[in-house]
Amino acid sequence: MIAGNGFQVIDIGHLDVAYQWYLMQAKKKTPLENRTVNEVGDSQFNKIANYNQFKI
């Protein structure tokens, strides 16, 4: 356990998405072009990705 050993951890996993919304001056969470945003119900991933390219 990291905290038990005296370390502090900050999760910045969605910082890039929040920053893009800040730059857009978005008033609500909106889809971002060429990005998958799990906080938005209408993800751009389904519109831009070709699922066949991920088959091995």
Side-chain angles (χ1 to χ4, degrees):
M1 183 169 13
I2 295 174
N5 291 322
F7 292 97
Q8 186 177 23
V9 178
I10 299 172
D11 181 3
I12 60 168
H14 291 192
L15 184 62
D16 59 332
V17 173
Y19 184 63
Q20 288 297 316
W21 287 329
Y22 168 77
L23 293 176
M24 295 169 48
Q25 298 180 354
K27 301 296 181 198
K28 65 177 187 171
K29 296 177 181 180
T30 59
L32 298 172
E33 186 175 345
N34 298 323
R35 299 295 306 266
T36 300
V37 182
N38 64 339
E39 292 132 348
V40 179
D42 184 24
S43 176
Q44 291 291 312
F45 183 78
N46 294 329
K47 296 177 183 174
I48 64 171
N50 178 358
Y51 290 105
N52 292 326
Q53 73 185 9
F54 297 109
K55 289 185 180 178
I56 297 175

